[in-house]
Amino acid sequence: MDIFIPDSETKLYGLLGKTLSHSISPSLHNNGFRDLDLNAIYLMLEVKDRDLEEYILSLKNLNFAGWNVTIPYKEEIIPYLNGFSSLARDAEAVNTVLNRRGRLTGYNTDVIGFQRQIEEAGFVVKGKRAVIIGAGGAAKAAAAALIHLHLAEVTIINRTLENAAEVVETFREKTDKVEFDYKALKESEYKDKIKNADLIINTTPVGMYSKKGNNNIAINPEYLNEKQFVVDLIYNPLKTELLKEAEKRGAQIGNGLPTLIYQAEASFKLWTQEMPNKKKWKQIAENAVKDIEAKDIEAEE
Ligand code: NAP
């Protein structure tokens, strides 16, 4: 195998976040660059909160062509950017930055990735009712995507009620074509919403391997049924307890892997105007998830 040797022309990309050990983005993007013979490299850019402004300045000075942004900086990065795509504006979060001669534009390819997953699953969003569990960045990206697809009603269910209320308020200001509601993550509060929903999306980390224990499913699955599409944005494990319970009840299910791959694909295209090999990326992502799972199990033993 040829070894890639960077030179003064090499385009620099990376992932900006606080804790990055589990990310599969470097495997995907570097594979895409090598596969298409692009003189580019994707690095891990781990940064503590207090350094964010200084760090972004360094990325500009080093002439990074672009970077992804992950937890907890998807919103914090906003003041340092010069412009935004409409989807980033809708989601009020940025996961991809493009640097054009020092002018930084923020995009949200999580929205694109989630939208594509829903469409490819054959689920028609128009006129449907959705429940989103969680009120963080992933919840906002999911809501923005569904609003774009002409959803009729969305309820945000969250552990901290004020956070759900805040998300609903920001979306209410953007559109009056969708019915919004929010509920606390308490069975008595959410059960009717879950029963009557066509689409249920878990955007909390509840169900991830590292969160194993008694509390590994965010809602009581009793209210799920065969008419629903249940999506869990977690991809580690590929089938969470929520998805297992939904499947048992005959619901259509989807894990977080397609959104993850499609958001990376959209960032790659934005930066390079080229498309990576779809099959290869799927294989890389699946293998990387297996590696992460194995490491998590090992760490717990
Ligand atoms: P975030 O902004 O930190 O939001 C996390 C949300 O989960 C908050 O609403 C939080 O509730 C809730 N939550 C956290 N721990 C909880 C618990 N123990 N019980 C109940 N609710 C809990 O994070 P994010 O960016 O939205 O990401 C959330 C998850 O989505 C990630 O862990 C990841 O698995 C997944 N994700 C997947 C993709 C993908 O491409 N597949 C992309 C992005 C995210 P409070 O408001 O009460 O704190």
Side-chain angles (χ1 to χ4, degrees), residues 155-201:
T155 303
I156 308 276
I157 295 176
N158 197 45
R159 178 178 62 178
T160 310
L161 192 62
E162 303 83 71
N163 294 344
E166 213 173 287
V167 171
V168 161
E169 277 323 304
T170 47
F171 278 104
R172 269 189 188 138
E173 282 168 21
K174 292 178 203 295
T175 177
D176 57 4
K177 294 199 174 95
V178 178
E179 195 76 24
F180 294 98
D181 200 358
Y182 59 92
K183 298 281 174 200
L185 194 51
K186 287 189 190 132
E187 196 171 329
S188 57
E189 296 263 320
Y190 67 63
K191 68 175 180 190
D192 289 336
K193 288 291 182 181
I194 300 275
K195 263 189 209 165
N196 297 324
D198 304 295
L199 174 64
I200 294 148
I201 308 130

Side-chain angles (χ1 to χ4, degrees), residues 255-294:
N255 63 36
L257 207 58
T259 292
L260 181 79
I261 297 172
Y262 298 150
Q263 64 76 28
E265 207 176 272
S267 299
F268 191 89
K269 179 147 187 254
L270 201 68
W271 293 328
T272 65
Q273 283 78 54
E274 305 224 28
M275 284 300 270
N277 183 309
K278 208 172 166 174
K279 260 195 192 156
K280 257 193 195 167
W281 268 33
K282 189 162 182 272
Q283 195 59 58
I284 291 168
E286 281 170 358
N287 290 343
V289 167
K290 277 187 206 138
D291 280 355
I292 296 169
E293 260 181 41

Side-chain angles (χ1 to χ4, degrees), residues 71 134-138 158-160 163 203-206 208 233-234 256 259-260:
I71 295 173
N158 197 45
R159 178 178 62 178
T160 310
N163 294 344
T203 70
T204 75
V206 181
M208 272 171 75
L233 282 181
I234 290 170
T259 292
L260 181 79

Side-chain angles (χ1 to χ4, degrees), residues 226-240:
E226 75 285 354
K227 292 191 190 122
Q228 298 171 327
F229 182 25
V230 180
V231 178
D232 198 329
L233 282 181
I234 290 170
Y235 47 83
N236 167 35
L238 287 171
K239 204 182 270 183
T240 58

Side-chain angles (χ1 to χ4, degrees), residues 78-99:
I78 287 173
Y80 308 113
L81 305 179
N82 307 102
F84 304 92
S85 70
S86 59
L87 289 182
R89 218 180 281 276
D90 285 351
E92 299 194 342
V94 163
N95 82 323
T96 305
V97 175
L98 180 61
N99 179 7

Side-chain angles (χ1 to χ4, degrees), residues 14 16 45 56 59 64 66-69 77 95-97 99 104 271:
L16 182 71
L45 308 168
I56 291 166
L59 294 179
F64 265 69
W67 57 89
N68 285 128
V69 187
I77 196 161
N95 82 323
T96 305
V97 175
N99 179 7
L104 304 181
W271 293 328

